[in-house]
Amino acid sequence: MKPTDPGAHPQADEREDGAWRTTRREFLAYSAVGTGVAVGLPGGAAAAPAASELRGPGEVAITLRVNGGRRRVSVLPSTSLAEALRDRLGLTGTKVGCDRGACSACTVLLDGMPVSSCLTFALDVGDREVTTIEGLARGAALHPVQEAFIAHDALQCGFCTPGMVMSCAALLAHNPSPTLDDVKAAVAGNACRCGTYPKVFEAVLAAAGQGLTRK
Ligand code: FES
Ligand code: FES
């Protein structure tokens, strides 16, 4: 199929070797539009979605449960949760680094579980509670992990920090007495180009009420 064929992927490009090239954003933009619907790429198999699952291809109005409130927002089927939070709802505390699931800067919690919001479709969130860095504090009282990051200088440029804090907060919510190895595992996907990891480990163990000697 050539790009000029009716129904062809409009932005798919054919390489000199005859293979098809499709960027991630094009993949998202032309993905099938229902939750969990398989996608047909050139040369690939596509599962036909049930008609009741189809939403889009234009904007769809949804309600997201975010930080204890309900927020109405219109999104495209290709809109990531990170885009919905930042560009539609103004919650810019969530950072986008790689936009492809490699750095975890965009980590938010879905029903308490850390996820990469750049890899999560806003339409797929459903009724799950989204917690962003803006929703971690309780009024003027910062979350213990936030307090500990400040006390232990666990940040430099700060770009990775919201995602790092969310991963650490999720760890303590599920494991209030983590070992150092638990902390390392919890932030294994959180890339910090400033190299603040030792301070992050220190801060999280301090927030858990223990020192760095615990293994
Ligand atoms: S921005 Fe989402 S993982 Fe890097
Ligand atoms: S503090 Fe700069 S990237 Fe982590």
Side-chain angles (χ1 to χ4, degrees):
M1 179 187 292
K2 299 290 184 187
T4 49
D5 289 345
H9 189 308
Q11 295 180 29
D13 203 7
E14 193 176 14
R15 297 198 316 239
E16 285 181 2
D17 61 4
W20 290 96
R21 176 172 60 79
T22 304
T23 67
R24 174 181 173 275
R25 186 152 297 280
E26 291 159 1
F27 174 89
L28 293 176
Y30 291 95
S31 292
V33 293
T35 300
V37 174
V39 177
L41 286 174
S52 61
E53 294 175 322
L54 289 174
R55 289 185 287 179
E59 294 215 336
V60 180
I62 59 172
T63 299
L64 291 175
R65 294 173 58 217
V66 183
N67 298 334
R70 300 181 80 84
R71 304 287 300 271
R72 195 79 175 151
V73 61
S74 289
V75 295
L76 291 168
S78 58
T79 302
S80 70
L81 176 57
E83 290 171 325
L85 292 169
R86 289 178 51 82
D87 303 339
R88 308 294 171 100
L89 298 178
L91 296 171
T92 54
T94 298
K95 303 304 180 200
V96 175
C98 65
D99 203 17
R100 60 187 60 198
C103 73
S104 296
C106 63
T107 301
V108 301
L109 308 185
L110 274 192
D111 280 351
M113 298 302 293
V115 300
S116 293
S117 59
C118 73
L119 287 188
T120 305
F121 289 123
L123 279 184
D124 284 347
V125 172
D127 200 40
R128 288 177 290 178
E129 172 73 19
V130 182
T131 306
T132 70
I133 191 71
E134 290 90 345
L136 213 51
R138 290 288 165 264
L142 293 179
H143 187 283
V145 170
Q146 292 173 306
E147 292 280 14
F149 266 56
I150 294 169
H152 291 264
D153 283 334
L155 63 152
Q156 288 189 43
C157 77
F159 196 83
C160 73
T161 307
M164 193 77 85
V165 167
M166 297 311 288
S167 294
C168 296
L171 168 68
L172 293 191
H174 295 95
N175 178 4
S177 299
T179 64
L180 176 57
D181 285 344
D182 292 335
V183 179
K184 289 180 178 178
V187 298
N190 291 85
C192 175
R193 297 190 71 172
C194 300
T196 58
Y197 299 105
K199 295 288 190 179
V200 168
F201 304 153
E202 202 178 292
V204 177
L205 291 177
Q210 49 200 32
L212 248 186
T213 50
R214 186 183 172 111
K215 186 75 176 138

